[in-house]
Amino acid sequence: MNFNRYPPLISLFGLLLCTSLFSAVIQAENNPVDEPTLVENDDDMFDDDFDDDFSDDFDDDFDDAPPPLVIHDPLEPLNRGMFWFNDKLYFYALKPVAKTYRYIPEPIRISLSNFLSNLTTPIRFVNALMQGKVNDAGNEMGRFFINTIVGVGGLFDPARKYVGLRKKEEDFGQTLGVLGIKPGPYLVIPFVGPSNTRDGVGYVVDTLTDPIGIVWQGRDYWAVKVTDTVNQISLDKDTYEAITGDALDPYLFVRDAYMQNRAGKVNK
């Protein structure tokens, strides 16, 4: 993909707000400098058995929680403002649309999620190789062939259901971390959500190399990304609301969960 295919930068940021929010809440991770923060760990993913994946991954990662972390958040006042903005955008814009989207039968929405996830297999495969995770790369390649051939072009996930091959989330931000690049300061990006300088660069690279952009281009590409974003929110069972609603300080919870999760993925 090239840059002149993209709308204004705000559109680039707008599409993955919900995905970032989910990643943040259902995850846990590491970084250095402000105040030490003890956090538990978390995982994610929409697959065939969506509900089971959510609870299983969440519990497993909390069991493997790393030691206390020190998080570098020099822009906390600004980040809190961006967090408030993203939070309101989620509740008053994205969530209402996703609730309407739930009128579409869930099996259809899961198949759409499976199909688009299958298309992005090359990103996970290449980043797993660059991180030296040969087994994970083989896992992704096996999933791609099984789901593409047996799963009707990726609409279904027989690789997980019948072979036990679960999706391995790998991205360029993780690859940079494995190569020794530090996370840098914690950031909350408007319309996107929690990030840091390293993962921000990784996000841009992954977006520019997104295979979905080869299949659909221009406005069609962004229509697909918006649809995928709304679809992912519709499949979630209000996890973000439940967790942030119980947190004494939702900003700190999301920050710590995100950084804890990203560190865990890099060190895995």
Side-chain angles (χ1 to χ4, degrees):
M1 297 169 77
N2 53 54
F3 285 96
N4 59 20
R5 181 180 303 166
Y6 294 88
L9 183 59
I10 197 170
S11 297
L12 173 64
F13 287 159
L15 303 172
L16 296 178
L17 163 65
C18 86
T19 305
S20 300
L21 287 172
F22 297 152
S23 302
V25 175
I26 308 166
Q27 303 175 356
E29 200 160 280
N30 182 352
N31 204 288
V33 148
D34 255 85
E35 300 176 11
T37 314
L38 179 60
V39 187
E40 266 108 296
N41 211 340
D42 234 305
D43 219 344
D44 49 310
M45 273 325 62
F46 296 114
D47 265 331
D48 231 15
D49 296 311
F50 179 81
D51 293 336
D52 291 341
D53 279 351
F54 236 86
S55 58
D56 290 348
D57 292 343
F58 191 86
D59 293 340
D60 288 346
D61 281 344
F62 269 92
D63 292 339
D64 299 331
L69 299 174
V70 178
I71 297 175
H72 186 34
D73 188 7
L75 300 176
E76 182 172 342
L78 177 61
N79 284 336
R80 281 186 177 274
M82 294 303 98
F83 175 82
W84 178 89
F85 173 79
N86 288 342
D87 183 76
K88 295 300 178 283
L89 181 64
Y90 172 82
F91 279 111
Y92 296 117
L94 293 173
K95 192 64 179 186
V97 174
K99 285 183 176 179
T100 302
Y101 202 72
R102 285 176 180 171
Y103 285 104
I104 299 174
E106 187 173 39
I108 295 178
R109 289 181 282 131
I110 290 176
S111 288
L112 173 61
S113 178
N114 289 340
F115 175 73
L116 295 177
S117 176
N118 194 57
L119 284 180
T120 58
T121 296
I123 292 179
R124 298 188 295 274
F125 172 77
V126 171
N127 278 293
L129 281 182
M130 288 194 293
Q131 295 171 39
K133 300 177 180 178
V134 179
N135 290 338
D136 286 357
N139 179 91
E140 285 304 299
M141 184 59 66
R143 280 180 50 82
F144 180 75
F145 282 115
I146 293 172
N147 289 343
T148 300
I149 297 170
V150 183
V152 193
L155 290 173
F156 304 99
D157 192 1
R160 179 188 182 279
K161 189 171 184 179
Y162 300 112
V163 187
L165 297 178
R166 301 184 63 150
K167 182 165 63 175
K168 304 293 184 180
E169 284 301 315
E170 307 292 348
D171 56 61
F172 194 65
Q174 291 173 232
T175 298
L176 292 176
V178 170
L179 294 176
I181 307 299
K182 299 298 182 183
Y186 176 72
L187 301 172
V188 180
I189 304 174
F191 299 100
V192 174
S195 187
N196 54 54
T197 52
R198 181 190 67 203
D199 289 345
V201 172
Y203 169 73
V204 171
V205 171
D206 287 337
T207 300
L208 294 176
T209 57
D210 188 353
I212 294 176
I214 298 175
V215 181
W216 292 282
Q217 301 179 359
R219 292 182 179 178
D220 292 339
Y221 170 80
W222 292 107
V224 170
K225 297 301 287 185
V226 169
T227 300
D228 185 37
T229 297
V230 172
N231 188 53
Q232 297 295 343
I233 301 178
S234 74
L235 287 169
D236 174 59
K237 305 304 181 185
D238 301 328
T239 306
Y240 176 75
E241 292 90 326
I243 295 178
T244 57
D246 291 338
L248 294 177
D249 188 334
Y251 170 81
L252 291 180
F253 181 90
V254 172
R255 182 195 71 179
D256 296 346
Y258 176 82
M259 297 300 289
Q260 180 75 39
N261 174 263
R262 295 302 293 174
K265 287 182 178 294
V266 168
N267 297 325
K268 191 171 181 180

